[in-house]
Amino acid sequence: DEMRQEEAEADRTRKEVLKRFIREAPAKIKASREPGEIVRLMTEHVGVAGQQEAGCAALWNICVDNDATKAKVALLGGIEAVLAGMDAHAGVEGVQEHGCEALHNLCINNDANRIKVARLCGIETVVAGMRA
C-alpha cells in the first residue's frame, strides 16, 4: 500500500513536470536565438503543437535576412523538424502558418535549402498545410 502511494506520488510529480514544461517551453523557444536549441526542442517534442508552432515561428524569425543562419538551421535538421511538426499537426492552423513561414525564409536565396525541402516532400507538406 505504501509502495503504491509512492508510485502514485511519483506519477503525479512526473505529470506536473510535463505540464509545466508544455506551458513554459513555447516561451523559451520563442526567446531563443540559438538554432540548435530550437531544433532540439522541436525534435524532442514533435507531439506538442504549441512547441512546434513556437519553434517554427522562432526559426522563421532568426532566418530573416541571415544566410549563415539559414545554412546552419538546415545543417542542424531544422527543415526536417519543421516538416515533421507540420505533418504531426496537420489540423493546427498556427503550426501550418508558421511552418510555411519558416520554410519560406529558409529557402529565400538558398538553392540548397530549396532542393532539400523538395527532396523531403516539403512541397506536398506545404500544400497540405495550406488546405488545412
Side-chain angles (χ1 to χ4, degrees):
D1 193 40
E2 186 177 321
M3 186 173 227
R4 285 186 184 171
Q5 287 178 338
E6 288 177 11
E7 288 175 6
E9 181 61 33
D11 189 47
R12 280 192 293 278
T13 301
R14 282 191 297 274
K15 287 179 180 176
E16 281 302 313
V17 168
L18 181 59
K19 285 180 187 176
R20 185 179 52 215
F21 177 78
I22 289 171
R23 280 192 312 270
E24 296 172 0
K28 288 180 182 177
I29 291 172
K30 286 180 185 176
S32 180
R33 304 276 313 154
E34 175 51 45
E37 180 71 2
I38 297 166
V39 172
R40 183 186 66 76
L41 288 169
M42 289 179 72
T43 303
E44 290 178 359
H45 304 283
V46 175
V48 182
Q51 284 196 223
Q52 298 307 307
E53 182 175 351
C56 289
L59 292 177
W60 169 53
N61 185 36
I62 65 172
C63 289
V64 173
D65 298 325
N66 192 326
D67 294 336
T69 298
K70 292 175 194 181
K72 185 174 183 179
V73 168
L75 182 66
L76 293 169
I79 292 171
E80 292 88 343
V82 171
L83 293 172
M86 291 176 73
D87 287 338
H89 303 285
V92 180
E93 183 179 335
V95 175
Q96 300 306 309
E97 178 181 353
H98 293 307
C100 287
E101 292 166 340
L103 292 171
H104 175 256
N105 277 356
L106 281 160
C107 291
I108 293 175
N109 299 322
N110 191 309
D111 290 338
N113 285 357
R114 288 183 192 138
I115 291 167
K116 188 170 190 176
V117 168
R119 285 188 179 151
L120 293 170
C121 298
I123 296 167
E124 292 85 347
T125 300
V126 169
V127 170
M130 294 171 72
R131 290 184 178 151

